[in-house]
Amino acid sequence: MSVLKRVKELLGEVDASTAAKHITLVDCKVARILGVTTEMQRMMGVSTGLELLTLPHGHQLRLDLLERFYTMSIMMAVDLLGCTGSTEERAALLHKTIQLAAELKSNLGNMFGFAAVMRALEMPQISRLEQTWVTLRQRHTEGAILYEKKLKPFLKNMNDGKDSTVMSNTSFPHILPVLSLLERGTAVGEVLEPWESSEAGVDVVMHHLETARTVAHHGEIYKTTAETKLLGIQERAEIHEVFQTEFQMRLLWGSRGSEGSQLERYEKFDKVLTALSHKLEPPVRHSEL
């Protein structure tokens, strides 16, 4: 609990821009967009992780990225649901999280980090907090409009294969659909993907596969963009650690728990998040309606 409290304090101290830069730095290192040595290139057989993740022997990298995606979104949800103060305080934190998503998308071009933060905001345990969202609309109207009118439609378009992101402004492209496609069966949270329920399913799948090919081919462009966006970043060791996947896993499940089955871990935490959510805003009983 003391570590969780310290993490909450750290996340409370940093502004959205600083947090977004640290997330992007770690994301790009995990995906091997940045920090790739000649030795690593030799072992991978390709020059960048964005190419490796499209290949059969990129299996472990795909799993690492999926783990990172889900763990990051759970940690962001815990931060929001752990805000047990007033509804105003929770709405302010919700506003800051929306700003973080916007920073990742627009200023850093990190679509991977953006999608992870958006997943936290769209979790049923967060989206059901009616009083918090109402307060957000009243106190932070611009944040609520940004989320509803820009960020949510933008993410939906990317998932549906209608994205309009400019490559030269992107440090980490939206490769989540490709990861889910290639690791179907091992990917967690076996929810229906957009292409599995839409009539245009095949077209969407083809779009994502085509995107994967483009991404693999232009790894150097993303690397250069990432370096430019992170130029002059003043790394803070504690913040850097908070956004490391290993740290987040130990924080959420403990050192022993983090070694358990992925599906079990996520199912357990889903129940924890639901309990936290109901504690903040108890569900209305039918007898009260």
Side-chain angles (χ1 to χ4, degrees):
M1 285 311 292
S2 61
V3 180
L4 194 57
K5 189 165 176 278
R6 179 66 187 132
V7 168
K8 280 193 71 61
E9 283 170 8
L10 279 169
L11 292 176
E13 283 169 23
V14 295
D15 58 281
S17 173
T18 306
K21 282 179 182 170
H22 280 77
I23 289 172
T24 302
L25 181 63
V26 182
D27 282 347
C28 288
K29 282 184 176 174
V30 173
R32 303 180 202 176
I33 295 169
L34 293 176
V36 183
T37 61
T38 313
E39 176 61 14
M40 282 166 78
Q41 287 181 336
R42 193 182 62 74
M43 288 173 71
M44 293 193 298
V46 288
S47 60
T48 165
L50 290 176
E51 188 171 356
L52 178 65
L53 64 82
T54 64
L55 299 170
H57 64 286
H59 172 68
Q60 190 55 51
L61 177 60
R62 290 192 291 272
L63 291 187
D64 290 348
L65 286 167
L66 282 167
E67 180 83 85
R68 176 163 182 75
F69 177 79
Y70 288 112
T71 305
M72 174 72 81
S73 60
I74 291 170
M75 193 186 81
M76 299 309 294
V78 167
D79 188 41
L80 282 162
L81 294 169
C83 182
T84 51
S86 65
T87 311
E88 279 78 13
E89 284 175 55
R90 211 156 37 251
L93 184 56
L94 192 59
H95 178 56
K96 189 176 176 180
T97 310
I98 290 166
Q99 286 179 313
L100 174 62
E103 276 286 328
L104 287 162
K105 168 191 168 284
S106 304
N107 290 342
L108 285 152
N110 177 0
M111 300 307 150
F112 182 81
F114 164 68
V117 175
M118 287 297 286
R119 181 178 184 268
L121 291 167
E122 291 182 334
M123 278 184 187
Q125 293 94 334
I126 306 275
S127 58
R128 67 170 287 281
L129 299 174
E130 282 183 40
Q131 293 159 13
T132 309
W133 286 97
V134 165
T135 308
L136 176 83
R137 290 181 198 110
Q138 289 168 346
R139 302 286 172 91
H140 308 278
T141 313
E142 74 287 2
I145 292 170
L146 174 67
Y147 177 67
E148 292 293 342
K149 301 288 182 207
K150 287 202 173 157
L151 303 184
K152 271 176 82 171
F154 181 81
L155 182 64
K156 186 180 184 308
N157 281 344
M158 282 205 303
N159 286 332
D160 288 348
K162 300 173 191 158
D163 56 342
S164 54
T165 50
V166 182
M167 188 187 293
S168 60
N169 196 39
T170 306
S171 58
F172 195 148
H174 186 54
I175 45 106
L176 198 75
V178 175
L179 297 176
S180 303
L181 271 167
L182 296 178
E183 293 299 333
R184 201 70 183 127
T186 51
V188 202
E190 297 281 359
V191 290
L192 278 178
E193 300 292 353
W195 55 80
E196 292 178 295
S197 51
S198 72
E199 287 177 21
V202 176
D203 292 341
V204 178
V205 169
M206 291 309 288
H207 170 85
H208 289 311
L209 292 175
E210 188 57 45
T211 299
R213 220 166 64 163
T214 309
V215 163
H217 189 64
H218 294 291
E220 284 302 314
I221 294 177
Y222 296 114
K223 179 190 168 192
T224 306
T225 305
E227 285 171 343
T228 307
K229 302 249 181 211
L230 294 169
L231 203 62
I233 178 177
Q234 293 178 318
E235 272 188 74
R236 284 184 55 187
E238 284 183 303
I239 303 293
H240 190 78
E241 188 177 12
V242 164
F243 293 124
Q244 298 275 0
T245 313
E246 296 77 8
F247 174 83
Q248 292 175 356
M249 286 173 73
R250 287 201 308 275
L251 177 73
L252 297 172
W253 293 286
S255 49
R256 286 179 66 188
S258 63
E259 293 163 11
S261 136
Q262 207 177 32
L263 196 58
E264 265 179 47
R265 278 192 283 118
Y266 293 152
E267 280 177 354
K268 261 184 201 167
F269 228 91
D270 198 53
K271 287 172 186 162
V272 172
L273 294 175
T274 302
L276 287 170
S277 180
H278 286 179
K279 197 173 175 185
L280 292 176
E281 290 188 26
V284 178
R285 293 192 181 89
H286 288 293
S287 57
E288 295 171 15
L289 295 171

